[in-house]
Every structure is written in structure tokens, then in C-alpha cells.
Amino acid sequence: MTVRAALVGLGFATQELKLPAYLAATDVVSVVAIADPDPEARKIISERLGLPASACFSTYEELLNTADVDYIDVSTPHLTHLPILTLAAERGVSVVCDKPLAMSVAEVDEMIGVTERSGIRAGVHHNYTHFPSHAEALRQVRAGALGHVDSVTMTAHSVYAPGVMPGDEGWRGTARLAGGGILMDYGIHLLYLSQHLLGPTFTPRTVTARVDKRRIRPEADVEDTVTVHIEGEAGQTATLTLMWGMGTSGHTIVDGETGTLQIRYPDMLSAQHNVAEQIEIVRDRLDAPTVVPIDWERFPLSWYYGGSVRAFATYIQSGDATGVATLAEARATISLALSAYESVALDRPVEAPLSPSSPLYSIGVTGVHKLELAADNVIRRRGLYQPAGAELGDG
Ligand SMILES: NC(=O)c1ccc[n+]([C@@H]2O[C@H](COP(=O)([O-])OP(=O)(O)OC[C@H]3O[C@@H](n4cnc5c(N)ncnc54)[C@H](O)[C@@H]3O)[C@@H](O)[C@H]2O)c1
């Protein structure tokens, strides 16, 4: 029997990316209800799904009070994830939520508590682990193709996101709504991917980060450029560089004891989220690389959330949680992102995991203003991460 899902939040992610995944997974899951305050978004999705007006709600509260569903799939701005998960848990409805799961580590702790007490099943769309490129890289690494993994280097250059470039509107440029800039947005994907590639032995010890804001809309108070360097025990490292902009390119290099793996994209218009051509593994500079071709079509876009949607629906159907990213994984990822912001504020490496005594642990990125920022700190210079009620800085 197929499970019954409801989609909450029907904006960019759902319209462009998530709907194709649900339309390709009707053997395991049926979307039976939707919720969004925007009537235009409800119209678009209800028409594509053929849903009656009685299955379309303007609030998640109405949906959860009325519709008979096994789980909700949440694609709303991150600030709303905690209240939505909490009400669903009270109603005994399971939840899969988009990344980043929450704005702070304390919020994730609350979500984990609520989930455990209610007995619902919960997961997070860390969907890039299911992409053919990264799934194959993970298979190679886990099969020992590189020996012990020493370092992961990932980039995502000039990635476009709605709501950040000059002339755009939306919550992504506002720290108190988005929890940070590109690091809390696209960077979350690189954080969990690098953790997976480094494997279960990876235990982060220090995080060093740099941010800047150069090209996005002037009134935004988030970073558009970030480099994060994470050092773990036994010398393992992850180095991630991301920028928002109007193109896209990116790469992944995994260095191991006995080989180096690289995901190859066909052109400069391919980043981590685009179609990769092949994986190359070099073991000796005199030997030709081992080439693993990747069979992957750009359209339809059902692959984008496909693996993650299918994994969660299967979990609800059968209890098999294979491929479902846990709230604990999201917690580790958000903790690293916030450690990076703390490193920017203190202008030095900081210890990981983020300490519960850090203001960022409890209130997220805007907590940087509770730390002692040097007069020339980039957060001051660029007017970043303003708490609610603050005037934007001079950035
Ligand atoms: N996993 C991925 O690859 C991926 C890709 C894109 C976006 N996302 C995530 O999806 C989420 C949404 O991003 P987006 O780009 O679609 O944003 P968006 O602004 O385009 O869409 C958000 C939608 O949520 C609706 N909404 C706001 N508050 C709501 C509420 N209380 N109840 C119901 N609906 C509400 C809005 O009306 C809007 O239609 C974010 O957390 C983002 O990080 C993830």
C-alpha cells in the first residue's frame, strides 16, 4: 500500500525540484494534501497533482487538523521548521524536513526531544548523498578504493539561489530568517557530504572559517562567500569553498592513503547539484586513472529529491530507514556551520563541536553579536547577521 504524504511549503524547492520526485514515486507514495499561504503556489501544485480544493490548505495547522496523512514533507523557510515539526509530532504525523533542519543546535535538540517523546518518524532531506555522482563517490570510498580518507575538498562557485542577487526579493538575504548566508544554504550540503566522504572515523576537532559579502543585494545581511576548514582527529580534514553568483561550477576531490578521487563535470556550468560525467580515481601518477562513467540525465529533474523522497516514504511504509538522513546527522551539520560563524566572529580557529555555552548554540548565527567582535571584524564591516529589530549595518 502506498503511504499518504502532504507537502507543506510550495515555493521554489517544491515546484521546481520536489514535485518531479513525487510524480516519479507514485508506486510508494501519494501526495494527498498540500499547504501554503500563497494561493498561486497552491493553484500550481494542486493542478499538477490533480488535488481537489478540499485537500489544499492555507496553513499547516489546518492541514494537520484536517487531513489524514502518514507524513508531511516540509519545504518552508528554515525559521518555520521547528513549529511545524512540533505540531506534526503532537498530531502523531511523521515529518521529513528540508535542510537546514533548524536555525540553531538548541532547536535541533528540541526537535529530537519532541520526536522521541511522540514516537513519530523524522528525517531530513540531505538529498545530495543520493545523487548519482556523490552516491558513486561514497560507494567507492566505502569499498576502500582510496584506503583511509585523509581529506575532502569541495567547491561550489557562483551558485545561484532565489532571493539573493540584486533585484531579487526573499528571505534568503536576511540572517534572522535564513540563519546565515550561503553556508547555511548550499553549504549545508557540502558539510554533510564531506562528513560522509570522510567516513565514520571523522571526528571534527577545530573549525576555521572566513566569510565576505561582495556581490549579492546590498541590503542583505548574510555572507555570499565562505571558506571553511575543518580538522579532525587523525589528521583528517575538510575544506569547503562556496560563493553565490550567476553561474555555477564546482568540484569534489577526495584524497586517500592509496588514491585520489575526483568527480568530473562536463562544463563550467556544473556544480555539485548538476549532472556529473564521470568519477576518476588516480592511484599512481604513471597509470591511467580508473574511470567510472555516470549514467545520468539532466531532465526530468526527478533525481534531485528522488532518492531522498523514496527513502523516507519507504521508511514510513516498512520501517526500513536505509538512506534516510537522521536528525542527529542534521545536528552535527548545523553545529559545524555555526562553529564556522563563531570562528569568523572570533577571528580564530574554534573547537568543535560547538559548545552549549556559545550564544550561537542557542540562538543561531545572530548570536555572533553577543561575542566580542574586533572593530575591523568582517561582521561589523559588512553589517552581517543582524538580530531581529536591529538596524542594518553599513555593508
Ligand atoms: N534540499 C535541497 O536541495 C533544497 C533546495 C532548495 C531549497 N531547499 C530548502 O527548502 C526550504 C524552502 O526553500 P524555497 O527555496 O522553496 O523557498 P521559497 O521561499 O521559494 O518557498 C517557501 C514556501 O513556503 C511557504 N511558507 C512560508 N511559511 C509557511 C508556513 N508557515 N506554512 C506553509 N507554507 C509556508 C511560502 O509561502 C513559500 O511558498 C528551505 O529550507 C531551503 O533551504 C532545499
Side-chain angles (χ1 to χ4, degrees):
M1 234 187 42
T2 57
V3 296
R4 294 155 307 166
L7 305 181
V8 176
L10 310 173
F12 165 72
T14 301
Q15 290 181 30
E16 303 293 329
L17 306 168
K18 203 172 272 182
L19 198 62
Y22 275 96
L23 292 173
T26 49
D27 55 312
V28 60
V29 53
S30 310
V31 178
V32 298
I34 55 174
D36 194 302
D38 177 358
E40 187 55 31
R42 290 201 301 276
K43 183 167 178 286
I44 291 169
I45 299 290
S46 63
E47 282 178 2
R48 286 175 68 185
L49 286 167
L51 288 177
S54 58
C56 305
F57 302 90
S58 56
T59 68
Y60 68 88
E61 290 94 335
E62 268 181 276
L63 183 147
L64 286 167
N65 288 336
T66 315
D68 190 10
V69 297
D70 298 308
Y71 78 90
I72 59 170
D73 188 331
V74 182
S75 297
T76 56
H78 336 320
L79 184 65
T80 61
H81 293 173
L82 171 63
I84 295 174
L85 179 136
T86 304
L87 188 67
E90 277 173 24
R91 299 286 183 275
V93 174
S94 292
V95 180
V96 61
C97 185
D98 229 309
K99 53 49 60 180
L101 177 62
M103 307 282 279
S104 68
V105 185
E107 276 194 0
V108 182
D109 287 341
E110 208 176 320
M111 288 168 151
I112 290 173
V114 160
T115 300
E116 284 174 358
R117 285 192 296 278
S118 66
I120 63 161
R121 290 176 177 164
V124 189
H125 283 304
H126 283 179
N127 43 320
Y128 285 31
T129 54
H130 294 275
F131 289 179
S133 49
H134 297 93
E136 182 58 35
L138 283 166
R139 253 193 304 279
Q140 293 290 339
V141 164
R142 287 170 185 163
L146 313 178
H148 176 76
V149 175
D150 296 319
S151 77
V152 171
T153 308
M154 302 184 87
T155 62
H157 298 278
S158 277
V159 183
Y160 173 75
V164 290
M165 298 313 286
D168 277 2
E169 285 180 2
W171 53 272
R172 269 192 181 78
T174 306
R176 70 188 156 71
L177 304 179
I182 188 163
L183 181 60
M184 273 300 255
D185 193 59
Y186 204 96
I188 291 291
H189 295 300
L190 303 200
L191 283 167
Y192 66 72
L193 283 169
S194 57
Q195 306 285 294
H196 278 284
L197 287 165
L198 285 159
T201 57
F202 184 57
T203 311
R205 282 291 168 237
T206 61
V207 179
T208 313
R210 291 279 176 274
V211 301
D212 207 345
K213 182 193 137 188
R214 295 179 201 149
R215 358 170 160 184
I216 55 171
R217 52 191 171 96
E219 68 277 21
D221 70 333
V222 297
E223 86 284 354
D224 62 11
T225 304
V226 62
T227 297
V228 182
H229 182 70
I230 307 168
E231 294 197 17
E233 270 176 11
Q236 286 187 298
T237 61
T239 307
L240 316 174
T241 301
L242 300 105
M243 272 165 241
W244 264 327
M246 294 304 289
T248 50
S249 78
H251 68 284
T252 297
I253 301 173
V254 186
D255 283 305
E257 231 173 352
T258 59
T260 295
L261 175 152
Q262 189 160 167
I263 298 176
R264 289 255 184 235
Y265 296 91
D267 54 43
M268 280 290 286
L269 283 176
S270 293
Q272 304 288 345
H273 65 285
N274 271 339
V275 173
E277 213 165 39
Q278 61 192 36
I279 281 179
E280 289 177 15
I281 300 172
V282 178
R283 292 202 183 77
D284 186 300
R285 72 190 171 85
L286 300 178
D287 290 344
T290 304
V291 174
V292 184
I294 296 181
D295 187 16
W296 190 359
E297 293 291 329
R298 177 97 181 88
F299 296 105
L301 280 168
S302 45
W303 50 265
Y304 192 91
Y305 278 97
S308 189
V309 160
R310 191 168 278 282
F312 194 76
T314 305
Y315 178 34
I316 298 299
Q317 192 181 45
S318 69
D320 175 1
T322 306
V324 175
T326 61
L327 304 199
E329 179 176 309
R331 185 183 189 283
T333 305
I334 289 168
S335 171
L336 283 172
L338 292 173
S339 292
Y341 289 122
E342 190 179 64
S343 160
V344 172
L346 300 175
D347 204 9
R348 60 167 171 78
V350 298
E351 280 182 16
L354 188 68
S355 162
S357 64
S358 165
L360 284 85
Y361 187 101
S362 45
I363 56 180
V365 73
T366 59
V368 291
H369 292 283
K370 303 222 178 261
L371 300 170
E372 259 186 55
L373 299 176
D376 64 346
N377 188 282
V378 65
I379 294 173
R380 277 182 192 268
R381 282 190 286 111
R382 301 286 199 211
L384 301 177
Y385 317 131
Q386 295 298 323
E391 289 297 314
L392 278 189
D394 59 2

